[in-house]
Amino acid sequence: MKFIAITLIVHRPDSVTGVQKSTRDRFREVVDNALLAEELGFDGFGVGERHERPFISSSPTVVLSHLAAVTRRIRLFTAVTTLSLLDPVRAYEDYATLDHLSNGRLDLIIGKGNGSAQRELFHVTAEDQWDRNAESYEVFRQIWRQDKVTVSPRFRPPLRDAEVWPRPYQQPIRVWHGSATSKESVDLAARYGDPLFSANVTNPIEPYAELIRYYRERWEHYGHDPAGIAVGAGTAGLYVARTSQQALSVYRPIFEATQAFQKQAGLPVVFPTLEDFIDRSSALIGSPQQIIDKVHRYHEQFGHTVLHLNADAGGLTNAQHRRCLELFQSEVAPALRKEIPDPPFAWKPVLPTPPIAKEQAHV
């Protein structure tokens, strides 16, 4: 099993202290968390894309380019790239550039995004967002694989023998499809034989498990080998402590403050108590063995081989956050790496074919 830390770069007051960092300090915190993730041996670090409050992750390519410069080993993820809002040509140019700057350490997780404020900003409607997402991905995919592209899309001007530069480093790049609530993104992933990443955060795990089962059905419907399936899944919260009592004691004020924020914002309260949150959501809060057992329980339903964790402290002090991640990597991750397989592909970059190999191929 592989482990990636993800941030959506939420920018609001700390859920416990009420203190809000400056924008500059919040970005600095993202960089520090990426360095910490690499230091502790995480396999990937992801940055989301949102274009509305309370997020400041509107430019993931810029953030990830900086992270590419200060890290060396860890893979870099988008989480997610909102292709329904973006011109696929411009998105390709940005990510192909980032692919080179990162020496081929880039993975994309794409999705249509959510939120009415984002749609209004980009003049995207609730009715056409899925079509835009699928079309943008199809154009993006062609540009990444072909030196010249001719296509007549619905939502942008046509391309006629278009050359888009730079040409990519990875050939091709790995693209995951982010899935939260709908079958459209699941079907798109299955159609192209791409891996799926389940959000698995807001609700109990059952609806996410249902979508993953649908993905497996559609994968076979499109004629792909079941052995090639790769599924990633998120977690709603993380706090590892030596004992369950310690974990509950530390996390309870964080949970209660987050609940209060959700109520104030008019958001639905899905899990009324911390105990219910730990029991029915994907949150990993408890002792190392409790967390290992819980990941196994929802692995039985998901069959996932990649797990994402929150990269941010999220109400913890910096010291608590570091101790939590250290304990996860020293006592939880080794057991899960041993007991749950890796995805069915190499985690290292998919490198371009050397020129000599191309010449020999035509001999």
Side-chain angles (χ1 to χ4, degrees):
M1 177 169 256
K2 299 292 187 183
F3 303 97
I4 66 176
I6 285 179
T7 177
L8 300 181
I9 321 186
V10 176
H11 190 224
R12 61 179 176 87
D14 183 276
S15 57
V16 176
T17 67
V19 175
Q20 179 164 324
K21 293 180 172 69
S22 69
T23 301
R24 177 186 178 279
D25 286 347
R26 184 67 183 96
F27 281 124
R28 182 67 250 175
E29 186 176 54
V30 171
V31 176
D32 290 343
N33 285 336
L35 291 169
L36 177 62
E38 181 166 75
E39 174 192 339
L40 296 181
F42 280 86
D43 302 293
F45 189 89
V47 174
E49 179 180 338
R50 297 289 189 277
H51 300 272
E52 59 186 332
R53 290 176 183 265
F55 308 98
I56 53 172
S57 51
S58 57
S59 299
T61 49
V62 176
V63 178
L64 289 169
S65 291
H66 182 72
L67 297 183
V70 298
T71 60
R72 292 293 176 266
R73 177 198 58 80
I74 198 166
R75 287 197 69 81
L76 303 173
F77 283 74
T78 63
V80 299
T81 294
T82 52
L83 277 183
S84 65
L85 309 179
L86 305 177
D87 181 286
V89 175
R90 187 62 184 145
Y92 165 81
E93 291 172 335
D94 285 345
Y95 284 111
T97 301
L98 174 54
D99 193 35
H100 282 278
L101 292 174
S102 67
N103 290 322
R105 288 186 286 141
L106 179 64
D107 273 50
L108 296 181
I109 307 176
I110 68 163
K112 61 91 180 170
N114 54 28
S116 59
Q118 290 193 130
R119 291 197 301 267
E120 291 171 7
L121 189 64
F122 288 89
H123 298 281
V124 172
T125 69
E127 292 73 29
D128 69 19
Q129 60 185 344
W130 293 110
D131 291 340
R132 285 178 179 272
N133 184 63
E135 179 183 283
S136 287
Y137 176 55
E138 288 160 1
V139 174
F140 180 97
R141 194 173 190 275
Q142 287 186 51
I143 296 172
W144 199 283
R145 286 164 170 77
Q146 300 173 21
D147 292 337
K148 293 184 178 182
V149 173
T150 296
V151 63
S152 297
R154 174 184 168 196
F155 296 106
R156 63 146 289 132
L159 300 172
R160 296 282 181 266
D161 286 331
E163 296 180 284
V164 189
W165 297 92
R167 298 312 302 151
Y169 184 73
Q170 295 182 88
Q171 297 183 357
I173 194 170
R174 185 160 49 243
V175 178
W176 304 70
H177 295 248
S179 165
T181 59
S182 69
K183 292 184 174 180
E184 284 88 345
S185 55
V186 169
D187 187 82
L188 187 65
R191 187 188 320 164
Y192 285 107
D194 293 332
L196 185 75
F197 219 108
S198 173
N200 189 38
V201 169
T202 307
N203 298 301
I205 65 174
E206 286 77 12
Y208 302 112
E210 182 178 348
L211 283 173
I212 292 171
R213 287 192 292 271
Y214 180 72
Y215 168 67
R216 294 179 184 277
E217 292 170 6
R218 299 306 291 170
W219 180 279
E220 294 196 37
H221 168 80
Y222 287 115
H224 304 303
D225 183 354
I229 286 178
V231 174
T235 53
L238 173 71
Y239 187 65
V240 195
R242 286 293 174 191
T243 67
S244 59
Q245 293 83 0
Q246 182 186 357
L248 288 169
S249 175
V250 170
Y251 204 83
R252 191 175 300 280
I254 297 172
F255 173 80
E256 291 174 350
T258 302
Q259 249 200 347
F261 173 80
Q262 291 173 337
K263 290 178 180 177
Q264 184 180 15
L267 300 173
V269 175
V270 180
F271 307 103
T273 67
L274 175 58
E275 287 73 16
D276 184 49
F277 180 60
I278 294 173
D279 180 50
R280 294 195 301 125
S281 82
S282 61
L284 302 177
I285 299 163
S287 67
Q289 190 58 53
Q290 285 175 315
I291 288 174
I292 292 168
D293 292 343
K294 185 167 185 180
V295 172
H296 274 291
R297 284 199 301 274
Y298 73 90
H299 174 74
E300 291 174 3
Q301 295 194 55
F302 289 2
H304 58 308
T305 53
V306 179
L307 182 68
H308 98 50
L309 308 167
N310 191 348
D312 299 317
L316 299 170
T317 66
N318 288 339
Q320 287 172 330
H321 181 52
R322 184 182 183 97
R323 283 198 299 270
C324 167
L325 295 182
E326 287 175 339
L327 193 54
F328 182 90
Q329 284 292 65
S330 64
E331 298 196 20
V332 177
L336 294 175
R337 289 186 193 278
K338 180 179 179 181
E339 296 160 2
I340 297 176
D342 283 344
F345 43 69
W347 201 252
K348 61 184 179 181
V350 182
L351 301 179
T353 304
I356 189 170
K358 287 184 179 179
E359 294 170 6
Q360 290 174 344
H362 293 287
V363 174

